[in-house]
Amino acid sequence: MVVHLIYRLDFGGLETLLVDCINGMPAERYRHAIVCLTDYTDFASKIKKPNVAVYALHKPPGLAPQTHWHLWRLLRRLRPAVLHTYNLPAIEYAPAAALAGVPVRVHGEHGRDARDPQGTNPRHNLLRRLVLPFYDCYYAVSADLRDWLRDTIGVPDRKNLLLANGVDTRKFHPPVGATRDTSDELPEGCFVFGTVGRIQDVKDHAMLVDAFIALLALLPEQRSRLRLAIVGDGPLLPGLREKVAAAGIADLVWLPGARMDIDVMMRRFSVFTLSSIAEGIPVTILEAMASGLPVISTAVGGVPEVVQEGQTGALVPARDAHAMAQAMARYVADPALVARHGAAGLESSLRQYSMQAMLQAYAGMYDRMLEAKLGRRTV
């Protein structure tokens, strides 16, 4: 059994990747359970593989040392062969897993948060170094993160892996006939800038709204056909709605909250946008490219490894609403550019970021670690 330890199972790129991996791995070789340090939402219904248990430890804010004890007891009961932790909130629990007798422990860095976008926080990095001996390997989803693990944290090459994210290209694909799908909220004739992600500080959706306001000022004659769709839920959604209303653009900005049909949403967009101040390699960008969309994104983290400036999209500085608006205006003015960059992104997605390649990479990591520790590869 592989136990996946995350902070919370909710709508998000990391959570989507986790569920895709569980659903896609061979059932006869891998059994899975998910342990949430805090809690989980209806997002758990996206797990289609049978007999995958989801546990919530209900960790309170702060250090909460009792959570280590609760996890130790649960691991003693589940007896997994692998503990797979994700990002900083889960990294400190490897010692508890070692004491519980879990033989293989791996940790994934999928991106940083708004409080430490460059990964320079000395306390956080000290923690990463202190628990390193308890892990068989660290891995990163981008070369940027892998190099940071090596140069800043001091993870040796033998423990430092690069595992690229992947996307289900059977589910995420361009609309039939290459014409944007429509809906009541995003009707025919509109040019839609869309984004998908949890509404939290690291995504900086406020900047995206500012960019859209600037775009309307740049192209006043296009106002009636321009739309912005921000799909997702999170703690900053009420404030974002207030910002949109105060700017007088509530008729042009759609904020539907969390959606389960992200593939359908992508086919309603004209261009995908991402305004984050920190990222690994966002799953949503891969989904957008597989859907045939050009991408405008801030040039943060591993994004420049995926979005090729002037070929599959445009890269702008973080927190620069004016630069984002300028890039948006170029696509509105040039439908041929939209088609060309969207087609190039689709080709790149199919060639480099397949779901099958990602599943094989994760399975290979588990196999190698298990064979080294237990002399077998099935969990």
Side-chain angles (χ1 to χ4, degrees):
M1 174 184 284
V2 180
V3 166
H4 304 267
L5 182 66
I6 63 171
Y7 183 72
R8 177 180 171 86
L9 185 60
D10 200 352
F11 293 84
L14 166 60
E15 294 79 4
T16 296
L17 182 145
L18 168 58
V19 170
D20 283 344
C21 282
I22 290 175
N23 288 337
M25 285 189 178
E28 65 274 11
R29 289 181 60 192
Y30 304 97
R31 294 181 298 117
H32 301 270
I34 299 175
V35 178
C36 309
L37 289 171
T38 54
D39 209 343
Y40 56 92
T41 69
D42 290 344
F43 186 82
S45 66
K46 293 176 74 70
I47 302 170
K48 303 306 180 185
K49 183 169 286 186
N51 303 317
V52 177
V54 182
Y55 302 90
L57 299 182
H58 302 291
K59 176 184 178 296
L63 294 176
Q66 68 273 24
T67 305
H68 295 260
W69 165 248
H70 296 323
L71 178 64
W72 178 86
R73 288 198 306 172
L74 180 59
L75 293 176
R76 290 287 292 175
R77 178 158 61 90
L78 296 177
R79 295 288 183 181
V82 178
L83 177 75
H84 185 159
T85 62
Y86 296 82
N87 285 347
L88 181 66
I91 199 172
E92 66 186 85
Y93 296 93
L99 289 172
V102 181
V104 172
R105 300 168 298 274
V106 300
H107 177 72
E109 288 287 345
H110 288 252
R112 309 185 190 103
D113 62 28
R115 295 168 296 175
D116 187 25
Q118 304 306 318
T120 58
N121 185 297
R123 291 179 58 194
H124 293 170
N125 290 343
L126 176 60
L127 174 61
R128 291 178 171 110
R129 295 186 192 103
L130 289 174
V131 297
L132 177 57
F134 294 92
Y135 282 102
D136 296 286
C137 74
Y138 280 26
Y139 72 88
V141 298
S142 69
D144 170 71
L145 283 171
R146 180 195 58 190
D147 294 347
W148 166 76
L149 284 173
R150 180 194 63 215
D151 299 336
T152 302
I153 308 304
V155 180
D157 288 342
R158 61 183 173 80
K159 277 192 171 186
N160 194 1
L161 306 181
L162 175 61
L163 300 183
N165 288 341
V167 62
D168 185 350
T169 53
R170 295 170 299 179
K171 180 178 180 181
F172 289 89
H173 57 79
V176 177
T179 301
R180 184 185 68 82
D181 291 354
T182 62
S183 66
D184 291 342
E185 301 85 3
L186 306 172
E188 186 176 357
C190 289
F191 193 101
V192 182
F193 293 97
T195 193
V196 176
R198 185 161 170 77
I199 314 299
Q200 57 188 354
D201 48 7
V202 72
K203 301 297 184 181
D204 200 9
H205 291 99
M207 184 276 265
L208 182 56
V209 172
D210 287 338
F212 187 69
I213 293 170
L215 175 67
L216 295 174
L218 286 171
L219 303 174
E221 72 284 358
Q222 299 276 7
R223 180 185 176 96
S224 63
R225 66 184 288 256
L226 295 177
R227 296 291 187 276
L228 176 63
I230 301 176
V231 179
D233 199 357
L236 302 185
L237 180 56
L240 199 64
R241 285 184 169 141
E242 291 176 4
K243 180 180 178 70
V244 167
I249 55 173
D251 58 326
L252 306 178
V253 180
W254 187 40
L255 293 157
R259 298 280 299 230
M260 299 290 280
D261 56 344
I262 300 305
D263 55 322
V264 175
M265 293 295 100
M266 290 288 186
R267 290 189 283 274
R268 294 177 182 172
F269 299 165
S270 306
V271 173
F272 186 80
T273 54
L274 193 75
S275 50
S276 300
I277 61 175
E279 286 287 356
I281 289 184
V283 173
T284 51
I285 281 184
L286 302 182
E287 293 170 344
M289 292 168 62
S291 303
L293 296 174
V295 175
I296 305 173
S297 176
T298 48
V300 297
V303 172
E305 300 170 34
V306 180
V307 179
Q308 304 301 310
E309 169 67 41
Q311 297 182 41
T312 65
L315 297 170
V316 301
R319 297 189 172 98
D320 192 334
H322 178 71
M324 178 73 78
Q326 293 284 348
M328 295 164 88
R330 287 193 291 272
Y331 284 109
V332 174
D334 193 347
L337 185 67
V338 174
R340 188 164 66 251
H341 285 185
L346 174 60
E347 193 276 331
S348 176
S349 174
L350 294 171
R351 185 181 70 251
Q352 300 182 38
Y353 300 104
S354 72
M355 176 63 65
Q356 192 57 38
M358 181 183 74
L359 292 175
Q360 289 175 353
Y362 278 88
M365 175 180 66
Y366 295 150
D367 287 347
R368 290 191 301 274
M369 299 299 109
L370 285 165
E371 198 160 30
K373 285 290 188 75
L374 303 178
R376 59 183 173 88
R377 306 172 75 178
T378 301
V379 294

